[in-house]
């Protein structure tokens, strides 16, 4: 997959291109991240990318033309049909389903805004989709773009060592993740649940699913709304709740 990022701060993206699973994906060529900086498309002496808002109000807005040219350059970089995504709190909520969907694209162009935002006509004429990673305001779209790059890259074939972990990622089954344990077996008087030491993979699978269902019920009941539970899941959640009540 090719991802071109339109941002005033391309160096920020080292956080996803140089480290960890996503850094390895870049190294293996499973994903290519390129950059296009609106400042490189300014023509005035001060390399101006922002201007005052019509109608007054605090702060500045990003000007149309440098962004428009930076997006055009980004399209040149990816040379394929690319979905242009603008990151902002006004966007559709980014979630696992969206990550899976975006991972099917041949190319993405992620536009990271700064200041108080961008001229609405840039969004109307250049942006295919506005995406939000959550209901809060960041100082720029870069961190949101990196969240998208990370979550989408994990969905690409070959990125996660053993394919299974992509499927087992929590949210794949629409549930929160179960608890995890590693050595030592005892810590601060707390021991690892016996089932995880049993070597009985079916028992372990059921235990993990039960914990995931129970946690989701307790912490994020909204995720269970409208989610059809299998008979096994219904049984395991009932067991979890009766054990909790006991
Ligand atoms: N939340 C978010 N989800 O995606 N992006 C977000 C954000 O808070 N972005 C910052 C704003 C700041 C003004 C310019 C445009 C981006």
């Amino acid at each position: 997959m090719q991802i071109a990022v339109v941002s005033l701060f391309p160096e920020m993206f080292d956080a996803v291109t140089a480290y960890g699973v996503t850094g390895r994906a870049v190294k293996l060529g499973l994903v290519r991240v390129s950059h296009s900086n609106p400042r490189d498309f300014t023509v005035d002496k001060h390399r101006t990318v922002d201007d005052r808002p019509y109608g007054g109000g605090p702060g500045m807005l990003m000007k149309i033309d440098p962004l428009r040219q930076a997006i055009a350059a980004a399209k040149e970089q990816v040379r394929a049909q690319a979905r242009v995504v603008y990151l902002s709190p006004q966007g559709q909520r980014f979630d696992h389903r969206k990550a899976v969907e975006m991972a099917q694209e041949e190319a993405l162009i992620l536009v990271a805004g700064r200041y108080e935002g961008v001229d609405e006509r840039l969004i109307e004429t250049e942006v295919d989709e506005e995406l939000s990673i959550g209901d809060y305001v960041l100082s720029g779209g870069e961190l949101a773009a990196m969240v998208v790059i990370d979550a989408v890259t994990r969905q690409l074939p070959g990125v996660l060592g053993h394919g299974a972990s992509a499927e087992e990622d929590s949210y794949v089954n629409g549930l929160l993740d179960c608890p995890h344990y590693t050595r030592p077996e005892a810590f601060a008087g707390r021991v690892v649940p016996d089932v995880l030491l049993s070597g009985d993979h079916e028992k372990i699978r059921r235990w993990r699913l039960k914990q995931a269902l129970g946690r989701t019920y307790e912490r994020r009941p909204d995720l269970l709304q409208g989610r059809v539970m299998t008979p096994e899941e219904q049984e395991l959640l009932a067991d979890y709740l009766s054990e909790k009540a006991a």
Side-chain angles (χ1 to χ4, degrees):
M1 164 176 269
Q2 300 182 82
I3 301 177
V5 180
V6 175
S7 164
L8 294 170
F9 301 116
E11 300 82 6
M12 287 180 70
F13 290 83
D14 290 356
V16 287
T17 59
Y19 302 92
V21 168
T22 50
R24 179 175 168 276
V26 170
K27 212 170 180 171
L28 295 176
L30 299 172
V31 62
R32 191 161 68 87
V33 179
S34 62
H35 295 282
S36 177
N37 186 334
R39 201 162 304 273
D40 296 338
F41 299 94
T42 55
V43 290
D44 64 306
K45 181 157 64 82
H46 301 291
R47 308 188 74 201
T48 309
V49 291
D50 63 322
D51 203 343
R52 291 177 299 117
Y54 281 117
M60 305 289 273
L61 294 173
M62 293 186 81
K63 293 176 64 61
I64 294 172
D65 210 51
L67 272 171
R68 201 179 51 75
Q69 291 186 57
I71 290 170
K75 285 179 175 175
E76 269 302 299
Q77 289 168 2
V78 300
R79 304 196 69 69
Q81 276 305 313
R83 188 193 294 194
V84 180
V85 175
Y86 176 61
L87 289 306
S88 91
Q90 286 69 46
Q92 183 193 5
R93 194 59 179 272
F94 181 65
D95 58 14
H96 174 73
R97 187 190 51 74
K98 203 79 198 141
V100 172
E101 178 197 309
M102 292 171 78
Q104 315 306 315
E105 296 283 344
E106 211 181 325
L108 293 175
I109 294 175
L110 303 181
V111 181
R114 280 273 159 174
Y115 304 101
E116 300 308 312
V118 306
D119 187 301
E120 190 64 16
R121 292 166 293 180
L122 186 280
I123 298 171
E124 290 166 352
T125 57
E126 297 285 344
V127 171
D128 297 315
E129 183 172 12
E130 239 177 305
L131 267 188
S132 168
I133 63 164
D135 296 334
Y136 37 78
V137 180
L138 302 169
S139 308
E142 285 81 5
L143 288 174
M146 284 188 260
V147 164
V148 171
I149 291 172
D150 193 310
V152 170
T153 297
R154 291 175 62 86
Q155 297 306 319
L156 297 175
V159 169
L160 293 179
H162 37 93
S165 46
E167 277 63 60
E168 285 160 12
D169 255 0
S170 71
Y171 285 105
V172 170
N173 55 11
L175 301 174
L176 299 185
D177 208 359
C178 61
H180 295 284
Y181 303 83
T182 187
R183 290 179 294 185
E185 270 190 43
F187 169 74
R190 295 167 184 273
V191 295
V192 173
D194 285 339
V195 62
L196 298 181
L197 309 174
S198 69
D200 181 334
H201 295 295
E202 177 54 13
K203 245 176 101 181
I204 291 168
R205 180 194 67 78
R206 284 173 58 85
W207 180 87
R208 286 174 169 165
L209 179 53
K210 179 161 86 170
Q211 295 304 313
L213 285 159
R215 267 184 165 189
T216 307
Y217 179 89
E218 291 169 342
R219 301 182 188 186
R220 288 291 305 278
D222 58 298
L223 294 177
L224 294 179
Q225 298 297 327
R227 182 183 182 283
V228 179
M229 282 203 273
T230 65
E232 178 188 45
E233 290 174 342
Q234 290 170 35
E235 179 202 339
L236 289 171
L237 179 55
D239 285 355
Y240 180 95
L241 296 174
S242 59
E243 283 160 21
K244 273 276 175 179

